[in-house]
């Protein structure tokens, strides 16, 4: 699958549910309206959709959400998709999780061929953790991280850089991650969905974070790419890697290889644009994949050049109305 700008689409992210057991303040409002369960694709349908993408050249599949591990019977989907790892059609099956359910699922995930996962963790302070997630339990997440590592899964921590929240804690988060054999990726907060918070109060440009880190650490740019949006540096003092996802200060749309599927079968060709394709209708139109394959081709042919997120006092409304949990982070 090659889009109109010559970019090969090899990476599919799938939001398997829009629901989450946390309510991170930069992601969701406290009272969210979630999709009625009847609107969700079944796990069998999600499998069929993902498999159609694999047949068309997707090499990396990430399950996300909402919180992927709160979707009922999610391991049925993971186990099913792992057949594409065994056949060699898929190179990587992974997920992004808040870690709350990880201690239950880590061993089974490893058995299904999941080798790496991203765990979102914005602070090491249990009280601050509760504040930012509104409902999260820090110790449960830590237990999950340890369970994943014990099962042989490599964990990368993802932290959204937030002004006046974890700004001062970033060096500590990085030291902690690297001391425990994990990489850390920092993410700039993006204007997606109403959260009831002012984004200009939360937004912390990573250019500034990097500048401050460089006062105490030696950061060496790495050519490494894991097929995602992060750019990596090696931190000479800790020996670990630090990823920087900078959709605000520098988007890397020119090398975008991703599309995103929601749990209702809507395909977003760009995280930061509203245009989308309805794959559910094509999926349900026929038991074979001819319609679906044509609908995917048509959608890829509409993949836009990029997004243009802006956060400043003149742009108080989100760039896109949907929350990150709909499209999947
Ligand atoms: N529940 C899972 C988790 O916590 O990782 C997966 C879904 S969550 C939406 C995926 C990632 O998106 C998390 O790392 C989260 O911090 C990040 N995220 C959510 N809203 C964001 C926003 N507005 N800007 C930047 N990152 C955001």
């Amino acid at each position: 699958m090659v889009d109109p700008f010559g970019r090969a689409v090899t990476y599919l992210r799938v939001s398997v549910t829009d629901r989450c057991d946390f309510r991170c303040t930069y992601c969701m409002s406290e009272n969210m309206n979630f999709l009625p369960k009847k609107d969700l694709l079944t796990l069998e349908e999600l499998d069929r959709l993902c498999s159609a993408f694999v047949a068309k050249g997707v090499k990396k599949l990430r399950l996300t959400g909402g919180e992927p591990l709160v979707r009922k019977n999610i391991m049925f989907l993971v186990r099913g998709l792992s057949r594409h790892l065994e056949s060699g059609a898929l190179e990587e099956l992974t997920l992004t999780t808040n870690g709350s359910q990880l201690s239950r699922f880590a061993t089974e995930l490893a058995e299904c061929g999941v080798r790496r996962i991203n765990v979102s963790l914005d602070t090491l302070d249990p009280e601050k953790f509760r504040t930012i997630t509104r409902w999260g339990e820090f110790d449960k997440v830590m237990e999950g991280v340890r369970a994943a590592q014990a099962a042989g899964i490599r964990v990368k921590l993802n932290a959204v850089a937030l002004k006046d929240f974890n700004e001062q804690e970033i060096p500590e988060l990085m030291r902690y991650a690297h001391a425990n054999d994990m990489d850390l990726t920092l993410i700039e907060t993006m204007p997606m969905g109403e959260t009831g918070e002012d984004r200009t109060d939360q937004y912390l440009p990573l250019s500034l974070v990097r500048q401050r880190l460089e006062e105490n650490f030696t950061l060496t740019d790495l050519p490494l790419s894991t097929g995602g949006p992060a750019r990596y540096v090696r931190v000479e003092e800790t020996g670990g890697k630090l990823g920087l996802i900078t959709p605000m200060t520098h988007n890397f749309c020119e090398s975008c290889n991703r599309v995103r599927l929601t749990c209702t079968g809507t395909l977003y060709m760009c995280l930061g644009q509203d245009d989308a394709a309805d794959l559910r209708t094509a999926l349900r139109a026929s038991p074979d994949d001819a319609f679906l394959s044509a609908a995917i081709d048509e959608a890829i042919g509409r993949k836009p050049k990029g997004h243009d997120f802006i956060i400043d006092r003149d742009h108080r409304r989100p760039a896109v109305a949907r929350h990150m949990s709909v499209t999947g982070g």
Side-chain angles (χ1 to χ4, degrees), residues 13 19-22 24 26-28 63-68 96-99 118-122 158-160 187-193 195 199 247 323-326 328-329:
R13 295 192 179 204
R19 289 167 196 254
C20 189
D21 51 344
F22 292 1
C24 298
Y26 51 82
C27 184
M28 293 186 179
L63 304 184
T64 171
E67 171 49 43
T96 300
T97 172
N98 64 24
N118 291 352
V119 177
S120 303
L121 185 74
D122 300 322
N158 278 348
V160 177
I187 309 172
E188 284 174 344
T189 179
M190 291 169 246
M192 299 189 64
T195 55
R199 305 251 183 213
H323 291 91
M324 184 74 129
S325 48
V326 174

Side-chain angles (χ1 to χ4, degrees), residues 68-246:
L69 296 180
V70 301
R71 170 99 195 227
K72 198 169 167 204
N73 208 10
I74 186 65
M75 290 312 299
F76 171 83
L77 179 65
V78 179
R79 195 161 284 285
L81 293 173
S82 71
R83 72 186 181 280
H84 299 304
L85 289 173
E86 282 161 26
S87 76
L90 189 64
E91 285 168 9
E92 181 164 25
L93 176 60
T94 183
L95 68 167
T96 300
T97 172
N98 64 24
S100 69
Q101 312 296 311
L102 207 45
S103 53
R104 275 208 285 155
F105 291 117
T107 309
E108 211 178 337
L109 286 169
E111 280 167 12
C112 290
V114 173
R115 296 279 163 265
R116 303 189 303 167
I117 52 170
N118 291 352
V119 177
S120 303
L121 185 74
D122 300 322
T123 175
L124 293 171
D125 176 327
E127 262 174 52
K128 281 171 76 177
F129 184 78
R130 168 70 74 167
T131 307
I132 199 76
T133 60
R134 290 198 181 102
W135 300 351
E137 248 184 81
F138 179 78
D139 290 344
K140 197 95 193 70
V141 172
M142 284 295 110
E143 207 184 296
V145 167
R146 283 191 293 271
Q149 288 189 311
I153 299 176
R154 250 199 99 68
V155 176
K156 179 164 75 69
L157 296 183
N158 278 348
V160 177
L162 295 162
K163 190 157 76 178
D164 298 332
F165 177 75
N166 58 9
E167 199 171 348
Q168 305 305 329
E169 207 191 324
I170 288 173
E172 191 192 337
L173 252 174
M174 186 175 81
R175 279 202 188 89
Y176 166 80
H178 292 176
N180 288 281
D181 198 26
M182 295 181 271
D183 294 331
L184 171 70
T185 290
L186 301 174
I187 309 172
E188 284 174 344
T189 179
M190 291 169 246
M192 299 189 64
E194 285 295 353
T195 55
E197 306 261 337
D198 186 340
R199 305 251 183 213
T200 39
D201 291 342
Q202 296 180 319
Y203 173 52
L204 176 63
L206 288 186
S207 47
L208 185 64
V209 172
R210 180 172 179 155
Q211 211 178 322
R212 288 195 194 137
L213 281 173
E214 281 178 327
E215 289 167 14
N216 294 301
F217 297 93
T218 318
L219 308 182
T220 310
D221 286 303
L222 293 173
L224 172 94
S225 166
T226 54
R231 293 295 174 275
Y232 287 91
V233 296
R234 186 177 48 245
V235 183
E236 302 300 342
E237 288 75 7
T238 61
K241 281 202 293 285
L242 177 69
L244 303 165
I245 299 184
T246 55

Side-chain angles (χ1 to χ4, degrees), residues 314-328:
D314 297 332
H315 297 79
R316 285 176 174 270
R317 299 243 299 282
V320 290
R322 63 185 190 276
H323 291 91
M324 184 74 129
S325 48
V326 174
T327 336

